[in-house]
Amino acid sequence: MGKKMKAIIVGGSIAGVSCAHSLTLAGWDVLVLEKSSEPPARSPTGAGLGLDPQARTIIKSWLPRPHLLDESTLPLSIDQNQATDSEKKVTRVLTRDEGFDFRAAYWSDIHSLLFDALPETMFLWGHKFLSFTLSQDETTVKVKSLVMETQETVEIQGDLLVAADGCLSSIRKTFLPNLKLRYSGYCAWRGVFDFSGDENSEIVAGIKREYPDLGRCLYFDLARDTHTVFYELINKKLNWIWYVNQPEPELKSNSVTLKVSQEMINKMHQEADTIWIPELARLMKETKEPFLNVIYDSDPLERIFWGNVVLVGDAAHPTTPHGVRSTNMSVLDAEVLGKCLENCGRENLRLGLEEYQRIRLPVVSEQVLYARRLGRIKQGLDRDGIGLEQKHMPFFSGAPLV
């Protein structure tokens, strides 16, 4: 068998941790570099996500106790779009699909499940990626990182570099220096309302009256040139997202999450009162620490690997959130990459990467463009009709694996 091949994964988010699982199962040694000083606790910027059946099956195959995934999530069996009349403050159902079969999860719960099932020694926390160099024959890669605590620079050598460093990927920029992300035309206010210990309050009673299928339904409220997403998370939490058309803000750091002032929050609260039904507006106003994401995507890339450097997750296909795809795509990227490298063997790394690109690139390209169109229609930026329901997403019922 010889010595194991070594993969260096840059980025310890869900895409990176998923690749750690799939590559370990494929017989690789894995090291994950992450600039955060420790594994993420339940952070408000993680918020909620939806998992489709295919991604859930894959995640369960990685977990020693697969039942924990269902125990950490709530069903989303209904996908409902409804129109809001902002003057009369009433809603009416536009579409309702009762065969949706997603599950709602807290980002940090899924990350913890995946992370806890791996050896701690696989992770180097507090290591900020600086640069990499490929050997002349493209068989090895050297990665330089900065140890945040000591400010020393370390160099690590491996056989494969996996870029799981997000939509603003610095590794992708090395190969595509002129690639600019496309600003969608809108940002998203996000919040998680915690009603544990307060289940019988007036605000919760009002919300449950207006949204009777909470706990199993993914609600989309559409008003004029704007829309919200609303669903329940485990442990008595309600996750909401409100997309607001506005000029592109200036990003002050390498993050698409903006720092918000109390003035910005107050303005958002006033607009919520004007647009949404009183129960939803009140929930937004009562939510602690709402935050604002700038929404970007990218035109599909022509390739997602160079030599022995490969892109996964948002680094490979920055997408808008409207197809509930980002985490699902990351999980499938990881699974396909692991299986392709395992099937092609250590002597055929390039062949494995070509196969990964051949399988994933057409799928993610279609999904990114569909999510873009869906977002533009729901925000009133496009009028040409496609179905509002999630089931019209390309490869909705399953994407090719190997």
Side-chain angles (χ1 to χ4, degrees), residues 189 261-272:
W189 280 100
S261 64
Q262 191 56 49
E263 185 185 357
M264 291 165 72
I265 294 172
N266 293 344
K267 185 172 178 241
M268 180 266 286
H269 290 167
Q270 288 168 2
E271 288 175 356

Side-chain angles (χ1 to χ4, degrees), residues 368-387:
V368 166
L369 293 177
Y370 191 88
R372 177 188 294 184
R373 287 184 64 204
L374 193 55
R376 288 185 62 78
I377 286 164
K378 289 186 175 184
Q379 286 300 104
L381 299 169
D382 261 350
R383 298 295 177 195
D384 64 321
I386 55 173

Side-chain angles (χ1 to χ4, degrees), residues 243-279:
Y243 296 98
V244 179
N245 295 345
Q246 63 176 79
E248 182 177 3
E250 186 184 346
L251 294 183
K252 295 277 198 296
S253 64
N254 198 36
S255 168
V256 294
T257 301
L258 290 181
K259 285 190 173 156
V260 293
S261 64
Q262 191 56 49
E263 185 185 357
M264 291 165 72
I265 294 172
N266 293 344
K267 185 172 178 241
M268 180 266 286
H269 290 167
Q270 288 168 2
E271 288 175 356
D273 276 331
T274 306
I275 296 169
W276 303 115
I277 59 172
E279 293 80 4

Side-chain angles (χ1 to χ4, degrees), residues 24-314:
T24 300
L25 287 170
W28 284 64
D29 272 335
V30 172
L31 192 62
V32 182
L33 308 183
E34 168 55 49
K35 65 178 181 292
S36 305
S37 58
E38 58 187 3
R42 178 163 285 153
S43 132
T45 51
L49 56 87
L51 290 173
D52 68 23
Q54 193 172 26
R56 296 200 305 270
T57 300
I58 292 166
I59 290 172
K60 285 179 178 179
S61 76
W62 295 336
L63 299 178
R65 293 182 292 167
H67 64 277
L68 291 179
L69 182 62
D70 288 338
E71 291 175 12
S72 307
T73 56
L74 284 181
L76 287 177
S77 54
I78 303 166
D79 164 25
Q80 180 162 309
N81 287 273
Q82 48 194 40
T84 296
D85 184 322
S86 298
E87 287 183 14
K88 295 178 181 173
K89 297 291 188 281
V90 293
T91 61
R92 64 183 173 86
V93 175
L94 297 170
T95 68
R96 182 176 170 95
D97 173 14
E98 297 191 355
F100 189 46
D101 196 22
F102 272 50
R103 289 189 77 86
Y106 221 116
W107 182 93
S108 53
D109 286 346
I110 300 304
H111 188 278
S112 294
L113 277 179
L114 292 168
F115 172 69
D116 292 346
L118 292 166
E120 281 186 43
T121 51
M122 196 176 277
F123 292 83
L124 293 177
W125 299 98
H127 279 243
K128 183 183 178 184
F129 168 81
L130 295 176
S131 64
F132 70 91
T133 51
L134 295 175
S135 62
Q136 218 162 4
D137 60 359
E138 295 189 339
T139 59
T140 60
V141 59
K142 282 184 182 170
V143 174
K144 274 188 183 171
S145 70
L146 178 71
V147 184
M148 304 294 280
E149 193 174 3
T150 63
Q151 292 294 295
E152 66 177 312
T153 302
V154 296
E155 194 169 79
I156 303 158
Q157 184 167 308
D159 304 289
L160 175 68
L161 174 58
V162 180
D165 53 343
C167 71
L168 300 173
S169 169
S170 54
I171 296 172
R172 184 186 65 223
K173 199 168 185 176
T174 307
F175 298 103
L176 300 170
N178 299 319
L179 177 75
K180 293 248 188 321
L181 294 183
R182 183 198 70 97
Y183 175 56
S184 63
Y186 46 89
C187 294
W189 280 100
R190 302 192 66 171
V192 176
F193 179 80
D194 185 343
F195 65 97
S196 52
D198 211 11
E199 292 98 311
N200 300 316
S201 67
E202 187 188 331
I203 185 169
V204 173
I207 277 290
K208 290 196 168 178
R209 188 173 58 249
E210 292 296 326
Y211 299 88
D213 291 314
L214 272 176
R216 64 192 188 108
C217 184
L218 178 62
Y219 283 101
F220 295 91
D221 284 63
L222 283 70
R224 184 180 176 84
D225 298 342
T226 188
H227 78 288
T228 62
V229 186
F230 188 44
Y231 56 95
E232 187 171 347
L233 296 170
I234 199 163
N235 296 327
K236 314 286 185 199
K237 295 189 172 55
L238 299 173
N239 185 77
W240 58 268
I241 310 165
W242 176 16
Y243 296 98
V244 179
N245 295 345
Q246 63 176 79
E248 182 177 3
E250 186 184 346
L251 294 183
K252 295 277 198 296
S253 64
N254 198 36
S255 168
V256 294
T257 301
L258 290 181
K259 285 190 173 156
V260 293
S261 64
Q262 191 56 49
E263 185 185 357
M264 291 165 72
I265 294 172
N266 293 344
K267 185 172 178 241
M268 180 266 286
H269 290 167
Q270 288 168 2
E271 288 175 356
D273 276 331
T274 306
I275 296 169
W276 303 115
I277 59 172
E279 293 80 4
L280 181 57
R282 183 175 175 187
L283 181 92
M284 291 174 170
K285 291 189 286 186
E286 296 281 339
T287 300
K288 293 173 183 167
E289 298 179 18
F291 59 98
L292 191 62
N293 280 352
V294 189
I295 305 299
Y296 291 99
D297 68 8
S298 160
D299 289 338
L301 306 185
E302 292 181 6
R303 55 188 302 182
I304 48 176
F305 86 95
W306 294 262
N308 53 350
V309 180
V310 63
L311 307 181
V312 297
D314 289 343

